[in-house]
């Protein structure tokens, strides 16, 4: 199956700074890569996603980049705010229509 | 957006009893649903893929006789934890593949086995 690795596991940034979270995947046939934000005790919420035919996608302060050759993708959050504090998960959808998740990054934005 | 409802949100049971968790897609049909287990401050561990009208596909190391999955309709999948023991205590969360191949999550079920 797919193996998704995510780094860092914890990340602290000052409010207003940028945060970057990186993921790698093993199955070159995986074609869809969503990012989820999970607040404590709540369900994961989709924040942005990218498909394998696109290299970059941006939605306001959030962007995702994909390097298919290197099999890695990254989440970029600019102008971070305290409400961005949460656990972020990357995921990859393989050809078997199964989602595999990274290990998560706990982001803390310090006011 | 697509909504996935999961019930119950919290259950406490005695060791040896069985617990059923329901996952419903409210405004879309889901031929595929997924069941995950999540430990505190850890990632989502895929347990099984539930396919409507057929047997579920279990991940390696997940006991199919322990975690019974039924996906009898396009809007409902159930996970039954049979003969639950304290080590089964965990946060169980379902998800469904909705419009655009996007994954939508239920609100999760916190299971505590005494």
């Amino acid at each position: 199956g797919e193996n998704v690795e995510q780094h860092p596991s914890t990340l602290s940034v000052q409010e207003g700074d940028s945060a970057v979270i990186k993921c790698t995947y093993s199955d070159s046939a995986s074609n869809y890569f969503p990012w989820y934000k999970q607040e404590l005790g709540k369900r994961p919420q989709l924040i942005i996603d990218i498909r394998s035919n696109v290299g970059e996608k941006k939605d306001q302060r959030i962007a995702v980049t994909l390097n298919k050759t290197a099999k890695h993708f990254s989440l970029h959050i600019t102008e971070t705010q305290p409400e961005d504090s949460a656990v972020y998960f990357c995921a990859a959808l393989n050809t078997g229509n199964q989602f595999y998740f990274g290990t998560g990054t706990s982001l803390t934005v310090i006011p | 957006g697509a909504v996935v409802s999961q019930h119950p949100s919290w259950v406490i049971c005695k060791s040896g009893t069985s617990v059923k968790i329901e996952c419903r897609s409210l405004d879309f049909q889901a031929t595929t649903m997924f069941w995950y287990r999540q430990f505190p401050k850890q990632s989502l561990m895929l347990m099984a893929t539930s396919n409507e009208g057929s047997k579920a596909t279990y991940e390696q190391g997940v006991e199919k006789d322990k975690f019974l999955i039924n996906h009898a309709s396009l809007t409902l999948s159930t996970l039954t934890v049979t003969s639950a023991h304290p080590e089964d205590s965990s946060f169980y969360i379902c998800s469904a593949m909705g419009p655009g191949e996007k994954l939508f999550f239920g609100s999760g079920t916190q299971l505590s086995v005494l």
Side-chain angles (χ1 to χ4, degrees):
Chain A
E2 175 66 276
N3 181 39
V4 179
E5 295 188 356
Q6 182 172 348
H7 300 279
S9 57
T10 59
L11 179 60
S12 292
V13 299
Q14 289 291 137
E15 181 177 359
D17 287 351
S18 296
V20 180
I21 303 171
K22 298 182 179 181
C23 286
T24 61
Y25 60 98
S26 60
D27 187 349
S28 57
S30 291
N31 54 21
Y32 174 62
F33 308 92
W35 285 90
Y36 289 86
K37 174 182 180 182
Q38 186 179 27
E39 297 177 16
L40 190 63
K42 296 187 177 180
R43 75 185 79 194
Q45 298 277 7
L46 177 68
I47 56 172
I48 197 167
D49 55 11
I50 192 167
R51 297 193 182 273
S52 57
N53 58 347
V54 176
E56 184 174 358
K57 185 177 177 180
K58 190 174 181 180
D59 182 4
Q60 299 182 338
R61 296 188 297 109
I62 297 173
V64 57
T65 59
L66 171 65
N67 184 326
K68 283 170 52 180
T69 304
K71 290 187 283 187
H72 67 71
F73 55 111
S74 300
L75 177 71
H76 304 253
I77 305 175
T78 58
E79 300 172 32
T80 53
Q81 301 166 2
E83 50 265 40
D84 294 330
S85 297
V87 178
Y88 291 81
F89 292 101
C90 64
L93 176 66
N94 70 3
T95 50
N97 258 3
Q98 293 170 316
F99 284 87
Y100 289 90
F101 284 81
T103 47
T105 296
S106 178
L107 173 65
T108 302
V109 180
I110 304 165
Chain B
V3 178
V4 176
S5 174
Q6 184 174 342
H7 294 281
S9 57
W10 182 54
V11 58
I12 300 175
C13 69
K14 292 182 178 180
S15 186
T17 61
S18 294
V19 174
K20 180 185 279 189
I21 303 169
E22 292 189 350
C23 182
R24 294 180 184 272
S25 57
L26 297 186
D27 50 2
F28 66 98
Q29 293 183 331
T31 55
T32 304
M33 292 186 174
F34 304 92
W35 288 95
Y36 294 87
R37 187 172 179 176
Q38 187 176 33
F39 292 102
K41 298 185 179 181
Q42 293 191 22
S43 188
L44 296 148
M45 185 186 75
L46 179 65
M47 297 175 65
T49 302
S50 171
N51 300 296
E52 186 269 335
S54 63
K55 291 182 179 180
T57 303
Y58 290 82
E59 293 299 297
Q60 192 172 6
V62 178
E63 299 176 58
K64 57 183 68 176
D65 294 332
K66 174 78 171 173
F67 300 98
L68 299 178
I69 291 173
N70 185 284
H71 194 158
S73 77
L74 287 171
T75 58
L76 174 65
S77 176
T78 60
L79 169 68
T80 301
V81 183
T82 62
S83 187
H85 291 285
E87 57 266 29
D88 298 325
S89 299
S90 188
F91 187 66
Y92 294 88
I93 191 163
C94 71
S95 64
M97 187 175 288
E101 275 189 325
K102 295 181 187 291
L103 197 63
F104 299 92
F105 284 88
S107 52
T109 298
Q110 183 63 53
L111 171 64
S112 296
V113 184
L114 304 178

